[in-house]
């Protein structure tokens, strides 16, 4: 059994209370406490409303969401439109939605019925206050829902002993029409609404605060938003109160703005509003004093809504459809009845703390008894009990980590709402036909959390493994258990009814995993709480809990089943299992035996039973693995790895009970790990060596620099962060940055610090885990070597030595955890990939066998082959016959699996089949090529950066040279101006140069004579340039051959 149920005594009391309800189609009457169900507790829970009022509130929300689904969809969630959210929060001070109200009802947060009514009315009043335009279609929707919600509250609250909730003003619709007339009034000049500046409080138009002297002049601020809220939230109990507040809006405006230059426009608009509004209010006042108003006032205080009683046949059909549903767990691939956990009340022997969390239990058998006794007077009563059973399950298991039960509860609630809504629509509108639910008739329906399978199956990474799938296990209850209440045929008139004897339960039928675990636990009645265990028992419980957290053994979504005896899940294997296995064992039995006590005397006794669980699976699946059965191979490999992982984990977590012995347990044949082991120092050293062999030589899966880390790099980053915990700040201060003494390099040849390791990891320069660990160890090894001479002193070096000792020990602990987790994940990925390969091979073989069988059964293939039709026999109508008559040649070809990689190899072609290397060698070649390409990209980036820097420096030097040249020219010109003698000579020489070279002056080029003159003036010799003749020999001409001329 699982959560969401109640004791049988409460169930019978609830079913017996059905006789006190009213007949179909009649209105609800107030009932006394004597007629109430025993399930309905009159006491309040934690200061909240009594249970009957909470139930009535929940039913109002259920009815509103189901009966007005299209309109209510606007108000299910909070306002989240980014374009209006800021303006909405400024104007609406109390936002509310139906989703938030549902959560408050489930959490019992309402203290009184008026609080619930206020929140429900605020949903629609907020909408009307914000959407003030009369052309907004949402206003009509909100007004319609206000009326429907008031009818539903009056109907469901009528059965309560006290009816304290405040009613709306009997003529609230007429009051809203008055406000609508005012809102429709527009200015004659700018065609803007006249009430534009009176719709919201004054502070909304003044940046969120009232003017400095406004509250001194106006004692009671008023606006149309406040009037609408008071009207729809039930604060007005008379028409005079409504009219007084409407008139107060105009009075406040005249009082504050009269006589002020900046208020003339506001006063004019207020007077126009007052003229129209006074006319409307006078008509409303005359109506309030009429006899019609008295009749309407009396009618408003009565229940006007009539909800017919749901037919028993319809409710039973809902239960029948629900019980036919199947739920397939996405992780374990186990298929079971979706309503299995909700069928019977919860066993208090299995869940003793159930009533500490659940105050109102419910289950399907109790609901069925209520239905047959005609207990439900409204569909919402039935819907409330059904939703309650699923919500109880979700609430209880969410606190205990039962993800499987939570997923089942959500799946069941979703399908119930769908089925129930369809049945009710067909009942209310006979013209609607219900489409058959094909998913419920199939033996394995996908759960709501899983996606429908695609046409092309592709191995995708899921969870902690990449590209692996678990074998599918389908487990269903017996027919009697899956349909506990089959729909009975109605007897013919005059024919006596006969009771058929109940069918005996079939013990050979498999049961769901959670039911099997509960049955195993029921066999151990004297289980102790974990807090009362001895110290070694508590450590064993922690070890077992950590083992059950393994991704393959997680109780929420186990991939391989080791939790219960094999014969419970696979009854057909009972005889074969008994022949091979003499002493069965499972993890739930181990846990219950530990909690029961008087069985285990030491941790080694518990370890022996855990090892027996996995060794039994190895022994039983060995024969199936030898013949290549995919399921047997999967369980064999998983059992071998889990046996090895359990040994590693026990030697790590139970290190306090390890003997100082060098004894080492040897493994079995074929490389199998030891089927039992002792807690000795030698076994621990051997376990560490096995993990190092797997982890330190594993190449790191690298990503590009700047991209997200792969899981290999993430594990290295976790190792780095484990040294930077807040509690280790004072110890790590010496090793974070390279602040070395002046003589440090004399003693230390390879300095290393934490930041250097982090930068190297970010640059993706580490090739395996061993390099990262070695660099981290080198940090503290260097510190111990350099500061050893100051050991025990109080100076900086002495404290650094002590810190290095402390952090070195912490690093080794973190490395051991890293080796344990990484080695486990690497092995899991290898096994998962092998399992996926086997499954694909099995599917190919099955498809080939099917094709062969179909070919043999073909009547046209009597002699095993069919002749190919000749060209003359091919006519216009013989296309199909030609296709069927063609001879098919089948050849088995070993297909090369291509693993999903994060890079593409352009020359990879599956169709050629000419690769001489194996698939593994090909993948290694692809990875090496990708690594070379990645290194080339990094090298190219460095080269580009260097070329850019060189070009920039050259451009900078060129600009500096041009600047220096301009300065030299200016200095030359200034010197010429100060010395006219040489300047005149220079001018004469310049004129001669111009005459000698007129073309150069015209082109603007500099004359050689001026350059030589400048060089001579600076006491420098002339530059001699000589051109050296080339020594390259000329190629001899090719002699024509004698026959070229021919």
């Amino acid at each position: 059994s699982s959560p969401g149920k109640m004791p049988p005594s409460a169930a019978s009391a609830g079913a017996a209370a059905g006789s006190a309800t009213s007949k179909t189609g009649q209105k609800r009457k107030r009932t006394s406490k004597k007629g109430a169900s025993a399930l309905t507790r009159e006491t309040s829970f934690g200061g909240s409303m009594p249970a009957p009022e909470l139930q009535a509130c929940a039913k109002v929300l259920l009815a509103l969401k189901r009966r007005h689904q299209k309109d209510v969809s606007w108000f299910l969630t909070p306002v989240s439109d980014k374009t209006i959210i800021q303006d909405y929060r400024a104007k609406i001070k109390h936002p509310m939605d139906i989703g938030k109200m549902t959560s408050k009802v489930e959490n019992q947060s309402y203290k009184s019925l008026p609080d619930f009514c206020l929140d429900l009315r605020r949903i629609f009043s907020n909408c009307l206050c914000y959407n003030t335009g009369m052309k907004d279609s949402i206003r009509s929707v909100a007004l319609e829902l206000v009326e429907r919600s008031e009818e539903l509250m009056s109907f469901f609250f009528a059965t309560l002993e006290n009816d304290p909730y405040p009613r709306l003003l009997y003529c609230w619709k007429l009051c809203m029409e008055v406000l609508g007339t005012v809102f429709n009034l527009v200015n004659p000049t700018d065609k803007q609404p006249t009430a534009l500046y009176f719709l919201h409080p004054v502070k909304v138009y003044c940046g969120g605060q009232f003017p400095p002297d406004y509250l001194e002049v106006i004692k009671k601020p008023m606006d149309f938003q406040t009037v609408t809220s008071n009207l729809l939230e039930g604060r007005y109990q008379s028409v005079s109160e409504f009219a007084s507040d409407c008139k107060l809006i105009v009075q406040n405006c005249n009082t504050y703005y009269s006589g002020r230059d900046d208020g003339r426009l506001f006063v004019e608009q207020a007077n126009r509003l007052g003229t129209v509004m006074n006319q409307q209010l006078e008509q409303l006042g005359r109506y309030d004093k009429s006899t019609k108003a008295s009749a309407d006032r009396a009618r408003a205080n009565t229940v006007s809504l009539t909800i017919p009683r749901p037919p028993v046949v319809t409710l039973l059909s809902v239960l029948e459809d629900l019980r036919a549903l199947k739920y397939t767990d996405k992780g374990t691939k186990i298929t079971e009845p979706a309503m299995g956990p909700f069928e019977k009340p919860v066993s208090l022997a299995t869940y003793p703390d159930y009533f500490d969390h659940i105050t109102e239990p419910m289950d399907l058998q109790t609901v069925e008894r209520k239905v047959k006794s005609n207990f439900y007077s409204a569909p919402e009563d039935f819907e409330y009990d059904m939703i309650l059973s699923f919500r109880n399950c979700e609430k209880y298991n969410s606190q205990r980590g039962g993800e499987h039960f939570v997923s089942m509860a959500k799946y069941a609630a979703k399908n119930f709402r769908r089925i129930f809504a369809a049945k009710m629509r067909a009942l209310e509108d006979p013209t609607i036909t219900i489409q058959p639910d094909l998913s419920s008739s199939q033996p394995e329906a996908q759960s709501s959390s899983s996606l429908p399978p695609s046409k092309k199956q592709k191995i995708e990474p899921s969870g902690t493994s990449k590209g692996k799938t678990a074998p599918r296990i389908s487990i269903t209850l017996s027919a009697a258990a899956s349909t506990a209440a089959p729909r009975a045929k109605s007897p013919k008139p005059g024919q006596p009814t006969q009771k058929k004897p109940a069918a005996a339960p079939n013990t050979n039928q498999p049961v769901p995993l959670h039911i099997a675990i509960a049955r195993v636990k029921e066999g151990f009645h004297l289980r102790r709480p974990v807090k009362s265990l001895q110290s070694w028992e508590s450590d064993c419980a922690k070890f077992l809990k950590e083992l059950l957290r393994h991704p393959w053994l997680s109780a929420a979504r186990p991939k391989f089943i080791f939790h219960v005896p094999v014969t419970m899940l696979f009854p057909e294997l009972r005889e074969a299992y008994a022949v091979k296995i003499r002493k069965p064992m499972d993890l739930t039995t181990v846990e219950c035996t530990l909690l029961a006590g008087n069985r285990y005397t030491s941790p080694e006794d518990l370890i022996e039973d855990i090892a027996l669980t996995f060794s039994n699976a190895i022994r039983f699946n060995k024969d199936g693995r030898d013949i290549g059965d995919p399921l047997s191979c999967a369980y064999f490999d998983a059992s071998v790895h889990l046996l090895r992982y359990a040994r590693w984990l026990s030697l790590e977590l139970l290190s306090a009970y390890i003997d100082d012995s060098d004894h080492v347990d040897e493994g079995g044949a074929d490389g199998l790990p030891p089927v039992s082991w002792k807690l000795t120092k030698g076994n621990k050293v051997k376990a560490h060596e096995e993990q190092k062999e797997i982890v330190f030589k594993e190449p790191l899966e690298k990503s590009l620099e700047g991209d997200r880390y792969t899981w290999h790099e993430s594990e290295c980053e976790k190792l780095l962060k484990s040294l930077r915990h807040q509690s280790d700040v004072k110890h790590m201060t010496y090793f974070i940055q390279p602040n070395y003494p002046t003589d440090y390099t004399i003693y230390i040849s390879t300095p290393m610090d934490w930041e250097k390791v982090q930068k190297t990891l970010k640059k993706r320069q580490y090739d395996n885990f061993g390099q990262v660990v070695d660099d981290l160890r080198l940090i503290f090894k260097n510190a111990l070597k350099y500061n050893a001479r100051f050991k025990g002193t109080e100076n900086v070096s002495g404290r650094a030595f002590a810190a290095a000792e402390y952090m070195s020990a912490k690093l080794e602990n973190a490395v051991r955890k890293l080796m344990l987790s990484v080695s486990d994940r690497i092995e899991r990925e290898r096994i998962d990939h092998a399992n996926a390969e086997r499954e694909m091979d099995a599917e190919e073989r099955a498809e080939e066998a099917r094709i062969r069988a179909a070919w043999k059964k073909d009547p046209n293939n009597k002699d095993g082959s069919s002749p190919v039709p000749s060209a003359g026999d091919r006519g216009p109508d013989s296309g199909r016959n030609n296709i069927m008559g063609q001879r098919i040649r089948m050849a088995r070809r070993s297909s090369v699996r291509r693993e999903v990689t994060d890079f593409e190899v352009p020359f990879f072609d599956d169709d050629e089949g000419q690769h001489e290397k194996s698939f593994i060698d090909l993948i290694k070649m692809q990875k090496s090529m990708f690594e070379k390409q990645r290194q080339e990209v990094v090298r190219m980036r460095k080269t580009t950066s260097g070329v850019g820097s060189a070009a920039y420096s050259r451009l900078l030097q060129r600009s500096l040279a041009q600047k220096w040249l301009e300065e030299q020219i200016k200095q030359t010109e200034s010197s010429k101006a100060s010395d006219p003698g040489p300047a005149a000579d220079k001018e004469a020489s310049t004129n001669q140069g111009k005459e000698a070279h007129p073309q150069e002056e015209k082109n603007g080029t500099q004359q050689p004579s001026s350059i030589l003159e400048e060089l001579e003036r600076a006491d420098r010799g002339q530059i001699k340039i000589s051109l050296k003749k080339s020594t390259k020999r000329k190629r001899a001409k090719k002699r024509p051959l004698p026959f070229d001329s021919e």
Side-chain angles (χ1 to χ4, degrees):
S1 181
S2 77
K5 323 299 181 298
M6 67 175 188
S9 59
S12 59
S19 59
T21 57
S22 59
K23 296 182 179 180
T24 304
Q26 293 182 352
K27 300 177 182 179
R28 290 193 169 190
K29 304 294 182 181
R30 301 191 181 212
T31 58
S32 61
K33 291 183 181 180
K34 296 180 181 180
S37 170
L39 288 173
T40 304
R41 306 183 182 182
E42 298 298 336
T43 58
S44 60
F45 306 100
S48 63
M49 286 190 297
E53 297 182 3
L54 281 173
Q55 293 178 7
C57 295
K59 293 172 185 177
V60 168
L61 295 179
L62 289 175
L64 197 61
K65 288 187 286 187
R66 184 180 63 82
R67 296 175 182 272
H68 309 282
Q69 182 179 6
K70 184 177 180 180
D71 294 338
V72 170
S73 61
W74 294 95
F75 307 98
L76 292 177
T77 56
V79 175
S80 58
D81 190 353
K82 295 182 180 180
T83 59
I84 65 170
I85 188 63
Q86 297 296 334
D87 184 54
Y88 185 84
R89 290 175 179 174
K91 295 177 180 178
I92 305 301
K93 299 303 180 184
H94 302 285
M96 185 57 59
D97 58 272
I98 294 180
K100 185 176 181 180
M101 288 190 64
T102 304
S103 300
K104 293 178 71 174
V105 170
E106 292 177 357
N107 298 330
Q108 300 178 3
S109 301
Y110 287 113
K111 296 183 179 180
S112 62
L113 207 59
D115 294 343
F116 172 83
C117 298
L118 179 61
D119 279 353
L120 184 58
R121 290 166 176 170
R122 269 179 178 167
I123 296 175
F124 312 116
S125 67
N126 289 343
C127 175
L128 293 170
C129 290
Y130 186 77
N131 301 279
T132 55
M134 297 306 298
K135 295 183 180 180
D136 291 340
S137 58
I138 194 65
R139 287 184 63 87
S140 60
V141 175
L143 289 172
E144 178 69 18
L145 289 177
V146 170
E147 184 177 3
R148 297 295 168 258
S149 61
E150 291 299 319
E151 292 176 351
L152 291 172
M153 284 193 291
S154 64
F155 178 80
F156 287 104
F157 294 166
T159 58
L160 302 177
E161 182 180 1
N162 298 320
D163 192 11
Y165 83 100
R167 303 296 183 100
L168 291 184
L169 188 62
Y170 75 97
C171 58
W172 65 271
K173 294 181 185 179
L174 297 176
C175 296
M176 289 302 299
E177 291 180 4
V178 171
L179 295 179
T181 303
V182 174
F183 293 165
N184 278 331
L185 190 63
V186 296
N187 298 325
T189 55
D190 55 3
K191 304 300 180 181
Q192 292 292 331
T194 306
L196 179 63
Y197 296 105
F198 307 95
L199 296 175
H200 304 287
V202 175
K203 62 181 180 180
V204 173
Y205 305 99
C206 300
Q209 295 181 354
F210 285 104
D213 58 340
Y214 187 82
L215 295 179
E216 298 178 0
V217 179
I218 305 301
K219 303 302 181 183
K220 184 181 179 182
M222 189 56 59
D223 55 273
F224 287 115
Q225 176 181 340
T226 306
V227 171
T228 305
S229 300
N230 293 340
L231 177 63
L232 296 181
E233 293 173 7
R235 293 188 177 90
Y236 293 142
Q237 297 300 319
S238 64
V239 176
S240 60
E241 296 178 1
F242 170 75
S244 176
D245 282 352
C246 290
K247 295 177 181 178
L248 186 60
I249 298 174
V250 179
Q251 295 176 4
N252 288 345
C253 181
N254 289 326
T255 303
Y256 185 76
Y257 287 105
S258 59
R260 298 179 55 170
D261 296 337
D262 57 346
R264 182 177 56 83
L265 180 61
F266 298 137
V267 172
E268 291 178 358
Q269 294 179 356
N271 293 332
R272 294 186 69 251
L273 284 177
T275 303
V276 177
M277 188 167 53
N278 289 333
Q279 296 175 0
Q280 298 292 325
L281 293 177
E282 288 178 3
Q283 295 180 7
L284 184 62
R286 289 194 296 268
Y287 161 78
D288 184 47
K289 298 177 182 178
S290 63
T291 56
K292 183 180 179 182
S294 302
D296 293 343
R297 191 181 292 107
R299 192 182 303 111
N301 293 326
T302 60
V303 180
S304 59
L305 181 64
T306 300
I307 298 179
R309 183 187 296 274
V312 175
V313 177
T314 302
L315 300 184
L316 289 177
S317 67
V318 174
L319 293 176
E320 183 179 355
D321 292 346
L322 286 175
R323 283 166 171 158
L325 290 175
K326 303 293 182 182
Y327 174 80
T328 300
D329 190 273
K330 186 178 180 181
T332 63
K333 310 301 181 185
I334 296 179
T335 300
E336 55 184 304
M339 296 297 116
F342 315 102
E343 193 67 40
K344 298 179 181 179
V346 171
S347 173
L348 294 180
T350 307
Y351 304 98
D353 62 335
Y354 185 71
F355 285 110
D356 296 340
H357 304 277
I358 304 302
T359 58
E360 191 177 358
M362 186 56 61
D363 60 276
L364 295 188
Q365 290 185 358
T366 302
V367 172
E368 185 179 13
R369 284 195 291 268
K370 287 186 176 183
V371 170
K372 292 181 178 180
S373 63
N374 205 14
F375 175 77
Y376 297 115
S377 59
E380 284 71 23
D381 297 337
F382 172 78
E383 184 180 7
Y384 173 81
D385 281 352
M386 292 296 297
I387 295 296
L388 179 64
S389 62
F390 307 137
R391 190 171 67 244
N392 286 345
C393 175
E394 184 178 352
K395 178 181 178 181
Y396 180 74
N397 288 285
S398 60
Q399 300 175 0
R400 297 167 55 91
E403 297 179 3
H404 176 70
F405 295 132
V406 173
S407 299
M408 289 191 71
K410 293 180 179 179
Y411 176 74
K414 179 181 179 181
N415 283 273
F416 166 74
R417 291 190 181 98
R418 174 179 56 82
I419 295 173
F420 183 69
K423 297 280 186 181
M424 289 296 104
R425 282 198 303 269
L427 183 64
E428 296 167 359
D429 188 358
T431 60
I432 299 177
T433 57
I434 303 178
Q435 296 293 334
D437 189 3
L438 300 178
S439 62
S440 62
S441 61
Q442 296 179 0
E444 293 180 2
Q446 290 290 338
S447 66
S448 61
S449 59
S450 61
L451 295 175
S454 60
K455 295 182 179 180
K456 294 183 179 180
Q457 287 287 350
K458 183 178 180 182
I459 304 175
E460 293 290 345
S462 60
T464 58
S465 300
K466 179 176 65 175
K468 292 78 185 172
T469 55
R472 188 181 183 86
I473 305 172
S474 179
I475 299 178
T476 56
L477 282 174
S478 61
S482 61
T483 56
R487 189 174 180 178
K489 295 182 179 180
S490 57
K492 296 181 179 179
Q495 182 179 0
T497 58
Q498 295 181 357
K499 271 192 176 181
K500 293 184 179 181
N506 190 356
T507 57
N508 289 328
Q509 290 293 331
V511 295
L513 178 61
H514 61 277
I515 295 179
I517 292 176
R519 288 183 181 178
V520 173
K521 290 183 177 180
E522 287 178 355
F524 296 85
H525 301 288
L526 302 177
R527 287 178 294 160
R528 300 169 293 171
V530 179
K531 295 182 180 180
S532 63
L533 299 179
Q534 301 180 20
S535 59
W536 70 269
E537 291 177 329
S538 299
D539 294 339
C540 290
K542 293 177 182 178
F543 158 65
L544 186 59
K545 183 178 180 181
E546 187 65 27
L547 178 63
L548 291 175
R549 287 180 179 175
H550 192 275
W552 285 354
L553 301 175
S554 176
R557 296 183 181 274
K559 195 170 187 178
F560 297 96
I561 309 299
F562 296 94
H563 305 74
V564 295
V566 175
T567 55
M568 280 191 178
L569 298 181
F570 305 97
E572 67 276 5
L573 301 178
R574 184 177 286 110
E575 296 180 0
Y577 195 80
V579 171
K580 294 184 179 180
I581 305 302
R582 300 298 179 185
K583 185 180 178 182
M585 187 57 60
D586 59 272
L587 297 179
T588 305
T589 301
V590 173
E591 180 185 7
C592 295
T593 304
L594 176 65
L595 297 179
N598 300 327
R599 169 67 173 80
Y600 297 140
T601 58
S602 66
E604 291 185 351
D605 296 340
L606 178 134
I607 292 174
E608 184 178 355
D609 279 355
I610 293 177
L612 184 62
T613 302
F614 302 122
S615 61
N616 285 346
I618 295 174
R619 189 179 301 111
F620 181 76
N621 293 283
K622 187 177 185 302
D623 295 340
R625 180 235 187 190
D626 294 339
I627 63 176
D629 179 60
L631 186 60
S632 298
C633 292
Y635 265 90
F636 183 88
D637 293 344
S639 303
V640 170
H641 172 63
L642 289 173
L643 182 62
R644 184 181 291 111
Y645 176 74
R647 180 165 60 90
W648 295 344
L649 189 64
S650 63
L651 292 170
E652 190 67 33
L653 297 184
L654 300 177
S655 57
Y657 308 97
I658 291 180
D659 295 335
D660 191 8
S661 172
D662 295 334
H663 171 75
V664 177
D665 293 298
E666 298 296 334
D670 300 331
L672 296 178
V675 296
S676 62
W677 62 90
K678 301 292 184 181
L679 294 176
T680 61
K681 185 177 180 181
N683 281 331
K684 186 174 183 179
V685 173
K686 182 181 178 181
H688 287 169
E689 291 176 355
E690 293 175 356
Q691 296 172 36
K692 288 180 182 178
E693 187 71 19
I694 297 173
V695 177
F696 284 2
K697 294 183 179 180
E698 179 71 12
L700 283 179
E701 291 184 3
K702 297 182 182 180
S703 60
L704 290 176
E705 187 175 352
D707 292 347
R708 181 177 296 180
Y709 281 153
T710 62
W711 76 266
H712 283 187
E713 296 167 336
S714 298
E715 291 292 336
C716 297
E717 186 183 25
K718 289 180 184 178
L719 183 62
L720 284 172
K721 290 182 178 180
S722 65
L723 302 177
R724 294 294 304 273
H725 193 267
Q726 188 175 1
S727 59
D728 303 325
V729 173
K730 63 178 181 179
H731 300 292
M732 280 297 295
T733 304
Y734 308 99
F735 317 111
I736 296 176
Q737 295 178 348
N739 299 324
Y740 304 127
T742 54
D743 61 340
Y744 190 78
T745 54
I746 299 176
Y747 299 90
I748 305 301
S749 59
T750 309
M752 187 62 60
D753 56 87
W754 188 90
E755 286 187 351
K756 185 176 181 180
V757 177
Q758 186 186 35
K759 292 178 181 178
T760 307
L761 178 63
K762 287 184 177 181
K763 293 179 180 179
R764 275 68 171 178
Q765 295 179 357
Y766 287 120
D767 295 328
N768 53 52
F769 289 97
Q771 295 179 359
V772 181
V773 175
D774 291 343
D775 281 356
L776 290 175
R777 286 173 174 170
L778 185 61
I779 297 174
F780 309 113
K781 182 180 178 181
N782 291 343
L784 293 174
K785 180 179 179 180
Y786 178 79
N787 298 290
R789 47 187 173 162
F790 302 102
K791 180 181 178 181
T793 61
E794 294 297 330
N795 55 12
V796 176
S797 297
R799 291 194 297 270
F801 183 86
E805 287 183 331
Y806 175 81
M807 294 306 302
S808 178
K810 185 169 183 178
L811 174 63
E812 294 304 321
N813 291 332
V815 169
R816 286 196 294 270
K817 293 180 181 179
L818 171 75
M819 291 193 302
L820 183 62
S821 62
V822 173
S823 59
D824 170 55
R825 184 164 179 178
I826 292 173
E827 290 296 305
R828 278 192 284 115
E829 288 188 351
R830 180 184 61 79
I831 294 172
D832 286 341
H833 182 75
N835 292 341
E837 291 286 333
R838 294 191 196 99
E839 287 187 6
M840 295 174 68
D841 289 337
E843 290 176 2
E844 288 184 358
R845 290 195 296 268
E847 181 66 17
E848 186 174 327
R850 185 188 64 78
I851 295 175
R852 289 180 183 275
W855 176 255
K856 291 179 180 180
K857 291 180 181 180
D858 189 358
N860 298 326
N861 186 29
K862 297 180 180 180
D863 57 348
S865 63
S866 176
V868 180
S870 60
D873 298 335
R874 297 174 184 173
D877 300 330
S878 62
R880 187 164 179 259
N881 296 329
N882 289 343
I883 295 173
M884 297 299 296
Q886 289 180 0
R887 182 177 300 168
I888 300 175
R889 182 181 180 183
M890 299 182 60
R892 178 174 177 80
R893 174 183 173 187
S894 60
S895 60
V896 179
R897 303 280 180 273
R898 185 180 181 187
E899 184 178 300
V900 179
T901 58
D902 55 351
F903 55 90
E904 294 295 335
V905 182
F907 55 79
F908 188 92
D909 191 356
D910 291 338
D911 297 333
E912 293 181 0
Q914 299 177 357
H915 299 287
E916 298 179 357
K917 295 185 178 181
S918 65
F919 174 68
I920 297 177
D921 295 335
L922 183 61
I923 291 299
K924 289 183 178 179
M925 181 179 65
Q926 294 173 2
K927 287 186 176 180
S928 63
M929 180 173 294
F930 173 72
E931 183 66 23
K932 291 179 181 179
Q933 293 175 355
R934 191 187 65 82
Q935 293 177 359
E936 287 295 333
V937 170
V938 175
R939 191 178 297 110
M940 189 182 302
R941 290 177 180 174
K942 292 182 179 179
T943 304
T944 305
S945 178
V947 171
S949 301
Y952 175 77
S953 61
R954 291 180 181 179
L955 291 174
L956 181 62
Q957 292 175 3
R958 181 179 179 182
S959 63
L960 293 176
Q962 291 177 351
K963 185 177 180 181
W964 175 84
L965 182 60
E966 292 175 357
E967 292 177 354
Q968 292 296 323
I969 292 173
K970 291 180 180 179
Q971 291 178 3
T972 304
E973 292 177 353
S974 60
S975 61
K976 290 179 182 179
S978 59
D979 191 4
D985 298 338
K986 184 176 181 181
E987 185 178 358
S989 63
T990 302
N991 293 332
Q992 295 176 1
K994 288 181 180 179
E995 295 176 358
H997 305 279
Q999 186 66 25
E1000 291 182 358
E1001 182 182 4
K1002 183 178 180 181
N1003 296 336
T1005 57
Q1006 198 171 11
Q1007 301 173 8
S1009 59
S1010 62
I1011 297 176
L1012 293 176
E1013 182 182 358
E1014 178 65 23
L1015 292 175
E1016 290 177 356
R1017 193 184 62 80
D1019 299 331
R1020 296 182 62 179
Q1022 297 183 359
I1023 299 175
K1024 296 182 179 180
I1025 300 175
S1026 62
L1027 300 177
K1028 188 178 180 181
K1029 294 184 178 180
S1030 175
T1031 60
K1032 187 176 180 180
R1033 294 182 179 179
K1034 296 183 179 179
R1035 293 183 61 181
K1037 293 184 179 180
K1038 186 178 179 181
R1039 287 185 178 183
L1041 297 176
F1043 53 85
D1044 287 344
S1045 60
E1046 297 178 0

